Amino acid sequence: MPERPTVPEQMVRELSALLTALPACEVEDAWVGVRWRVGQATVAHVFGGEDQLFRITFRAEPEEVMAFEHLGDPYFRAAWGRNVVGLVLGDEIDWEELTELLTDSYCLQAPVHLARQVPRPGDGSPSGEEVR
C-alpha cells in the first residue's frame, strides 16, 4: 500500500491563515494531515491520499451535500458523516471559492454565538442575519 504524502507546509499555512482567523478556530495535527476545529467540532481536514493527491474535507448543508456529490471531480461526498464533503486540491486552488466553503463549514460547526460573528462571503453580513 502506498504511503500518504505529507501536506505541503505552504498549503497548511495558507489554510491556517484563512481558518484561524475565525473565532476560536484552532489548528492541530490529525491522524493523517492537519485539521481545524472549533471546540470539539472539526471544521476542515486536509490530508494526502494513497493516490498521492491532496484533499480537504469540510461540512455542508444537506442540500449542498447532494449537489457536491452530483458535481463529481474534484468534489466528493465523504464516506463518513451525513454532511461531510470534500474537494481534491489540484495545482491551482480557487482560494475565493475555498474561503466560502470553509467559512460555511465553520458556521455549521461553531456555536451560534461564534458563527454570528463571521461575515459570510458573498452577502456582506454576519451569518444568521438577513441581508436587507
Side-chain angles (χ1 to χ4, degrees), residues 26-99:
E26 298 187 10
V27 61
E28 62 184 44
D29 289 333
W31 65 276
V32 62
V34 178
R35 67 181 174 190
W36 291 264
R37 294 169 59 134
V38 57
Q40 295 300 308
T42 299
V43 174
H45 178 194
V46 66
F47 58 94
E50 293 168 355
D51 58 2
Q52 308 305 296
L53 298 175
F54 297 102
R55 292 169 176 77
I56 188 163
T57 58
F58 48 91
R59 306 297 171 137
E61 295 283 358
E63 61 276 2
E64 292 176 337
V65 171
M66 290 177 58
F68 282 115
E69 189 172 22
H70 288 38
L71 281 172
D73 190 37
Y75 303 98
F76 62 91
R77 181 177 183 172
W80 66 95
R82 293 189 324 255
N83 66 345
V84 182
V85 293
L87 174 65
V88 175
L89 299 171
D91 293 333
E92 297 294 320
I93 297 173
D94 181 342
W95 287 100
E96 186 174 324
E97 176 189 28
L98 193 54
T99 297

Side-chain angles (χ1 to χ4, degrees), residues 10-22:
Q10 180 64 28
M11 186 181 291
V12 172
R13 275 195 301 273
E14 290 181 38
L15 289 166
S16 282
L18 186 160
L19 288 158
T20 60
L22 299 168

